Structure formats: structure tokens, C-alpha cells
Amino acid sequence: MKGQEVAGSPARAVRIGVCGLGTVGGATINVLARNGKEIAARCGRPVIIEEVGARRDNPDCDTSRLKVTPDIFAVANNPDVDILVELVGGTGVARDLVLTAIDNGKHVVTANKALIAEHGNMLFEFAAQKGVTVAYEAAVAGGVPIIKSLREGLAGNRIQWIAGIINGTGNYILTEMRESGCSFAEALGQAQALGYAEADPTFDVEGIDAAHKLVIMASLAFAIPLTFDKVYTEGISRISREDIRYADELGYRIKHLGIAQRRGQGVELRVHPTLIPQRRLIANVNGVMNAVLVSGDAVGPTLYYGAGAGGEATASAVVADIVDVARTLEARPDQRVPPAGVALHELGETQVLLQEEVVTSYYLRISACDKPGVMSELATIFSDWGISIEALIQHEPQEGERLVPVVILTSRAREASLCGAVAQIQALHTVEGEVVRIRVESLG
Ligand code: NAP
């Protein structure tokens, strides 16, 4: 006991204000209460929930012994709060709330990917001016500590590429379509019934949520500013069970991937459905689970896997950030790990490549007439564009069917060349409808 006194008085408690008492807010309060002893030990000081900003009760969370206000800005203005935990979501009120907290000299912990992806550059700049930090581990892949891994665990590497299944809803839908043979609409309906998808699923199924997360990871991996408006984004709503079946036949799975890759002086940033060889671990990440593959020059490929959503899983990441900030509460700002991984003046102006410049292999499904000569027409077009056919499936036509699906895996080609070839194929008299095209990545 005496020794402790000599070493100095115990650190003062860290006081947090939690704004938003929904799925993640409620779970964060529960985790802090349940694991309080361990968390305090890791912080090196007690953690006290000073105030909660919530305009309604959460039946899954007991706040009877906490000070609760319906005005979240009162929390951001409370002089006793050291860390504001923003869990209201969205980019309107949440942005103003975080700015108010920073202006008042408070550190911020947030799970809000949209806020960081769209306003992170400005928020980090403002936080640096005010000598506080913005922590956002929960913003990408929920409970999977991918931010810390990219920023700290892999700090010795030149990161070459990242490929991630970073939207649990989309992954659930693709998994259901493959495992039960249902359509996109049926799988989406199931996801909604189970609470995995919102009533308006656009953000998830059209890839916007994944683009938010990809841009955050790419910024850390390549030390570049957040460039959400430059991400090429394609959703999964046009994936059919037929394509999932053909992919299987070719030895692939269709996954919705966020891919960030260094290429020369630039980087590729793209979110789209992708065929991945079945033997890859990431191809076997199913249901609502998330996984991120990161390849560094020293470490090689590494894989991070876990629950990408859900109250407690996300709270796990929120609390980890609270611990990080609490540990360095009295540190000088330059002694903390910066939100962007490097000081803001170190961020490069890396060019994001246009999608036409991206080079990948492609899966194509062409509805062609069952007539002699069609295959040679296709072969000529591919050869004119410098693209070779790596694999081909053509089954016998069904009884009475005039069209047969021709499924092709191409060699790697520039997207611009592939688009040229596809335009010519679609113009053939022997081809009907739109040519389905899905990119293929080996991720090796
Ligand atoms: P949620 O369940 O909808 O909770 C948000 C809460 O904030 C609601 O209780 C809402 O209250 C409250 N709120 C919104 N505006 C408010 C205001 N002006 N004043 C007072 N309260 C306000 O959302 P969530 O799922 O917990 O998500 C929170 C954040 O975590 C989001 O940024 C989300 O992207 C992120 N996140 C969530 C997950 C997940 O699995 N859920 C995973 C990763 C990251 P009302 O009900 O009254 O509107």
C-alpha cells in the first residue's frame, strides 16, 4: 500500500458522456457495467458514465442509476465529460454534436462510418487544433479490431492491398442465395425479417455502407485523405441465383468485396460483387460475418474475421476506444496515436485511379442463340481486344429454348477493353439481352 502512495495518487476517473441509447449505445452501457473491473484496470483509472443523452428508454439497458438527458448537446457541453461517445448515427446532428464536443475540448469516440468517411478530414483537423482525439474503431467491421490492426499492428509494413467483406447484410443475402437457392428479393426479405436489413436497404445492398468502410481502411493503409466520393461502388441487387450456380460450377463464390490496392502512383478503391476461388478462407465467410484480408510487404496476407455488427460486438470496439483514450488522457497530443495514423501534414495526395484503368479477370454470362458460328464470333471479338478465354461453360439448351447461356472466365484485362468487347458482343444479332459481368479476383 505504502509503495502505491509513493508512486503517486491513483489516476483520476475518466468521465464519459454517451449520446444515443439505441442498439450500440445500450450495449456499450451494458458492457461497461458488466466488465467494469477489467476495463478500469486496462484504463489505469475508473470509468464513470457521467451523463447519457437519450430521448427514449432502451428496454435492454438499465439507466436507472445514471443521469439521463433528452438533449444530447447538453452532454457535449457538460464540463465534467472528458470523452463524448457518439452513437446517434447519421451525418447531420452527429456531425454538429461531435464538432461541439471537440470545440469544448472533449475527446470523441464514435461508431459512425458515414460521419468519418464523409467528414473525417475536417473532424481530424479540428480535433488536432483543439488537442483532442477522435477514435472510431467500431466504424469498420463492428467488433473486429481492424482499425487498430491497420494503424498500429501493421505499422511496420507497406500495405499493398485490402479486400474485405465489410457489410454483414449483403453477405447474409449472398450466403442465403447460394445455400437455399432463393432469389435476391427472397433473401433480402429474410434479412429484413431477422433484423439484419433496414426497411430501406439501399445503404447495405447498393454498397454505400461498404464504401464508407473501405475508404476509412484505405486512408489508414495508404496514409491518404478520406476520399469517399472517389470510390467506385456497385451493389449486389443484380446478382442472380443463376450466376451463383455457375460460379460454384467454376470453383468460385460470389462475395461483395471492398478492395483497395496500390497501383503505381495511384490507388484503386472499389466496392463490387466479386468471384473469389472457393479455396480462399475469405470465400468461406458466410452469413452476417465480416472478414478483411490485408496484405503487407513484410507480413504477407493477414485475415481478420468476426461479427461486423450487433450491439455487443460493436460495443466491444467502442469500449476499446474508450480504454485507449482514457489511458492517454493526460498525454500530450503528439504522444497519442493520431486518428489518421500519421500527422495530418504527412497524408499524401495519392491519386485514386479511374475504374476504366482497373485490371481484373471477368466472369461473363451471355445469352446466345444456339446456332453454329456464335462461339467463333465471340472468340474473334475477345481476341481483337487482347482478351483470352480462360474457362467456358455452355450447357445443352433446355427443351424448346432458343437461347443458351454461355459463361466465360476471361484473362486479366483493363476494364476499358472489357467494356469495349462487351459492347460489341451485345450488338451481335446472335446475342440477346444484357451481358452479365462480374469481376474475378484471385486474392493470392
Ligand atoms: P440506433 O439503434 O438507431 O440508435 C441510435 C439512437 O440514437 C436511437 O436511440 C435514437 O433515438 C438516438 N438519437 C438519434 N438522434 C438523436 C437526437 N437528436 N437526440 C437524442 N437521441 C437521438 O442505431 P445503432 O444501431 O445503435 O447505431 C449507432 C451508430 O453505430 C451508427 O453510426 C451506426 O452506423 C453505428 N454502428 C452500428 C452497428 C450495429 O450493429 N447496430 C455496427 C457498427 C456501427 P430515437 O430512437 O428516438 O430516434
Side-chain angles (χ1 to χ4, degrees):
M1 282 295 124
K2 198 105 179 105
Q4 262 190 359
E5 279 166 26
V6 173
S9 54
R12 74 167 175 88
V14 60
R15 294 175 183 272
I16 65 169
V18 178
C19 290
L21 196 57
T23 307
V24 183
T28 298
I29 288 174
N30 290 343
V31 171
L32 284 168
R34 194 172 70 232
N35 300 338
K37 205 164 156 225
E38 292 88 338
I39 292 165
R42 288 172 187 142
C43 290
R45 59 179 90 226
V47 180
I48 293 174
I49 301 175
E50 181 65 27
E51 195 168 18
V52 175
R55 55 189 175 196
R56 71 179 81 198
D57 282 345
N58 178 338
D60 298 326
C61 169
D62 178 10
T63 52
S64 57
R65 295 206 286 190
L66 298 174
K67 180 179 166 198
V68 182
T69 168
D71 176 10
I72 50 176
F73 285 86
V75 182
N77 287 314
N78 181 337
D80 294 329
V81 167
D82 300 303
I83 306 173
L84 181 118
V85 183
E86 183 279 304
L87 299 171
V88 296
T91 52
V93 176
R95 176 177 173 272
D96 295 343
L97 181 73
V98 166
L99 284 173
T100 306
I102 294 173
D103 201 27
N104 286 332
K106 299 183 195 316
H107 302 285
V108 171
V109 169
T110 178
N112 193 331
K113 52 241 154 184
L115 181 70
I116 296 298
E118 295 178 29
H119 301 291
N121 295 326
M122 176 271 290
L123 293 175
F124 297 167
E125 181 90 52
F126 190 41
Q129 279 169 26
K130 292 285 177 177
V132 294
T133 197
V134 177
Y136 52 93
E137 179 65 67
V140 181
V144 183
I146 188 66
I147 299 296
K148 209 172 175 68
S149 300
L150 283 168
R151 193 170 51 195
E152 293 155 64
L154 299 176
N157 287 263
R158 185 159 208 268
I159 293 175
Q160 293 147 328
W161 54 265
I162 301 173
I165 296 174
I166 42 183
N167 182 273
T169 311
N171 201 39
Y172 174 84
I173 291 172
L174 291 176
T175 305
E176 274 306 296
M177 287 175 73
R178 179 176 174 273
E179 288 181 354
S180 66
C182 63
S183 67
F184 170 80
E186 287 161 345
L188 172 61
Q190 282 174 34
Q192 285 168 324
L194 290 166
Y196 297 150
E198 304 280 334
D200 176 359
T202 313
F203 254 55
D204 290 326
V205 300
E206 296 307 340
I208 302 157
D209 176 77
H212 281 145
K213 294 166 182 170
L214 180 72
V215 90
I216 294 172
M217 292 195 292
S219 163
L220 288 170
F222 307 136
I224 55 174
L226 294 144
T227 48
F228 172 65
D229 53 336
K230 303 234 171 77
V231 185
Y232 172 82
T233 307
E234 207 178 284
I236 56 167
S237 54
R238 295 169 74 194
I239 296 292
S240 73
R241 44 190 151 186
E242 231 181 325
D243 295 316
I244 290 179
R245 250 195 344 261
Y246 283 124
D248 251 8
E249 203 174 325
L250 289 159
Y252 290 80
R253 297 272 162 85
I254 301 180
K255 293 289 177 191
H256 198 206
L257 289 190
I259 298 172
Q261 185 162 13
R262 280 188 201 272
R263 277 260 321 274
Q265 292 306 302
V267 295
E268 294 174 8
L269 292 179
R270 47 196 172 98
V271 171
H272 52 70
T274 314
L275 267 75
I276 319 171
Q278 271 167 14
R279 63 179 186 280
R280 296 266 173 248
L281 278 175
I282 197 168
N284 296 286
V285 170
N286 290 322
V288 290
M289 300 308 276
N290 279 199
V292 183
L293 256 171
V294 182
S295 184
D297 64 344
V299 72
T302 55
L303 180 66
Y304 308 83
Y305 168 85
E312 289 243 339
T314 310
S316 161
V318 171
V319 173
D321 274 347
I322 293 172
V323 173
D324 266 359
V325 179
R327 272 239 158 252
T328 55
L329 208 57
E330 280 98 19
R332 283 197 328 259
D334 64 327
Q335 291 172 324
R336 297 189 196 108
V337 178
V342 295
L344 295 174
H345 68 266
E346 300 277 1
L347 291 177
E349 269 307 328
T350 308
Q351 187 198 348
V352 178
L353 296 177
L354 295 174
Q355 188 59 22
E356 296 92 90
E357 299 301 320
V358 166
V359 177
T360 62
S361 307
Y362 291 82
Y363 160 101
L364 302 176
R365 178 164 55 82
I366 302 162
S367 290
C369 296
D370 184 30
K371 281 189 188 160
V374 176
M375 289 313 297
S376 76
E377 282 182 320
L378 294 178
T380 306
I381 293 174
F382 283 124
S383 144
D384 288 349
W385 286 95
I387 300 167
S388 34
I389 295 175
E390 302 278 312
L392 188 141
I393 303 176
Q394 189 189 8
H395 293 299
E396 286 298 305
Q398 303 272 333
E399 190 67 29
E401 279 286 339
R402 204 170 48 81
L403 295 170
V404 281
V406 178
V407 173
I408 290 171
L409 283 190
T410 72
S411 60
R412 283 167 62 78
R414 268 180 73 230
E415 180 127 343
S417 307
L418 194 280
C419 289
V422 165
Q424 267 185 293
I425 291 168
Q426 274 180 183
L428 292 173
H429 295 305
T430 45
V431 167
E432 285 191 15
E434 209 180 320
V435 174
V436 173
R437 60 185 117 165
I438 308 175
R439 296 169 188 88
V440 182
E441 293 285 351
S442 62
L443 302 180

